[in-house]
Amino acid sequence: MRALVLSGGGVKGAYQVGALKKWMLEDKLDYEILCGVSVGALNVGVLGQVPFGRPSEAFGRLRSMWDRVENATIRKSWPLFGKLAALWKPSVYNSQPLIDWLNKELNLEAIANSGRKVRVGATCWETGEYFAATETDPLFAKWVYASASFPAFFLPIEIAKKTWTDGGVRHVTPLGEAIKLGATEVDIILCSSSDHSEPWDPSGKKTISYALRAIEVMSDEIIRTDLQVCGLKNDLALLGKPYRQIRFRVLEPQKLLTDDALEFNQKIVTKLQEIGYRDAHALG
């Protein structure tokens, strides 16, 4: 079975759309398993609405969604005090627009009956546990939002009497879910390099920029750990049953895509899609 695993990265999720133009629209590849965290959860949720075996249609729905995204779709400032309200609010931004948008965009019945296995991961604030929601979960839209809830910047959400946030806090690339579901081929699209952190100039940066940079550095380390686990899995496969060999294809940008992952505008979205498309062509 072929799986698609999508990492987090805010607006850098548009890079994944560009890559999938090559793989799903042009190469006609489709995926029985879809796993994502953060913006990757949003992307697999949209793809998962189209029945397996129709990759061009699935890509078209994803592309259509990104053609309409903008800051107002995702977040808004708190009234009166804006970002300063974060001193007494639970987040820098009011991300209710994203919650409302997901409730309109995601057809839960279509996802449950698509013939695909879909997993989106979120992290619990109280316990630190990681939870992967399935395509048949009646609260699937809430779990997608929880996974995409950028920590400290977007509102956390309460589900089953616990408070949840971005799945990328624990697993930037939810490869383990794909492996557990029986994947034999896995395509992974990262939104930052797994080999090195991009240089960052702190000159003139504000507190929010430092916070975003901290999350970026932590995410890079989680990515490396996730990929090392995959290497270990294939090493174990050489021992024979019950292990199995898995083919991985990893696509990642070679340079920093943007220094503000929460700036959603169509100029940036188009640029990142173009980079993802070129990188996917180069990878083959």
Side-chain angles (χ1 to χ4, degrees):
M1 287 194 292
R2 182 181 289 117
L4 177 66
V5 174
L6 301 181
S7 75
V11 72
K12 291 182 282 188
Y15 175 83
Q16 299 170 344
V17 180
L20 293 174
K21 177 181 178 182
K22 171 67 168 62
W23 293 351
M24 297 188 76
L25 183 64
E26 297 182 0
D27 296 347
K28 307 299 182 185
L29 292 180
D30 206 357
Y31 301 92
E32 295 165 271
I33 299 170
L34 300 170
C35 301
V37 294
S38 196
V39 72
L42 190 156
N43 283 345
V44 302
V46 174
L47 290 170
Q49 296 178 98
V50 177
F52 176 70
R54 289 150 59 176
S56 297
E57 182 181 339
F59 170 78
R61 180 164 295 196
L62 181 65
R63 176 65 181 271
S64 174
M65 185 272 289
W66 277 91
D67 284 346
R68 291 177 282 112
V69 74
E70 56 185 359
N71 283 333
T73 311
I74 305 297
R75 57 178 170 83
K76 61 183 178 181
S77 297
W78 295 107
L80 298 180
F81 295 99
K83 295 175 183 176
L84 185 62
L87 294 174
W88 59 88
K89 295 283 189 181
S91 59
V92 173
Y93 296 111
N94 181 350
S95 49
Q96 186 64 44
L98 177 57
I99 296 174
D100 296 338
W101 198 46
L102 288 172
N103 286 332
K104 290 187 292 186
E105 288 285 327
L106 298 180
N107 183 326
L108 302 193
E109 183 178 358
I111 294 169
N113 295 305
S114 68
R116 304 178 191 269
K117 298 177 181 179
V118 186
R119 298 292 184 274
V120 298
T123 305
C124 179
W125 274 118
E126 289 93 344
T127 65
E129 69 185 286
Y130 178 85
F131 177 78
T134 74
E135 71 280 357
T136 58
D137 194 308
L139 300 177
F140 187 82
K142 284 190 173 183
W143 286 115
V144 171
Y145 171 78
S147 188
S149 174
F150 210 76
F153 288 85
F154 287 177
L155 288 165
I157 187 171
E158 182 176 311
I159 305 174
K161 298 182 179 181
K162 292 181 180 179
T163 309
W164 298 88
T165 190
D166 195 333
V169 172
R170 291 297 301 269
H171 296 287
V172 175
T173 52
L175 292 165
E177 295 302 320
I179 293 170
K180 285 189 292 186
L181 289 169
T184 54
E185 299 180 58
V186 183
D187 285 342
I188 306 159
I189 308 179
L190 307 177
C191 291
S192 59
S193 173
S194 62
D195 294 327
H196 62 278
S197 296
E198 284 289 329
W200 186 74
D201 182 5
S203 302
K205 295 295 196 298
K206 307 300 182 185
T207 303
I208 288 178
S209 296
Y210 277 94
L212 287 169
R213 176 59 174 168
I215 292 171
E216 184 90 26
V217 172
M218 289 187 290
S219 295
D220 287 348
E221 182 58 32
I222 297 171
I223 287 171
R224 293 186 184 102
T225 301
D226 286 347
L227 294 178
Q228 287 167 1
V229 168
C230 289
L232 174 61
K233 182 73 177 180
N234 276 341
D235 289 343
L236 290 173
L238 298 176
L239 301 176
K241 293 182 178 181
Y243 306 106
R244 68 181 188 279
Q245 195 80 22
I246 302 172
R247 185 194 68 80
F248 294 101
R249 176 169 59 168
V250 181
L251 178 67
E252 56 187 329
Q254 299 306 303
K255 61 181 181 179
L256 183 67
L257 295 175
T258 176
D259 60 2
D260 188 349
L262 298 182
E263 179 60 33
F264 291 83
N265 68 62
Q266 281 300 307
K267 184 177 179 179
I268 293 174
V269 166
T270 299
K271 174 188 173 183
L272 298 186
Q273 287 182 3
E274 290 172 351
I275 295 172
Y277 180 70
R278 289 199 304 267
D279 285 357
H281 263 284
L283 182 64

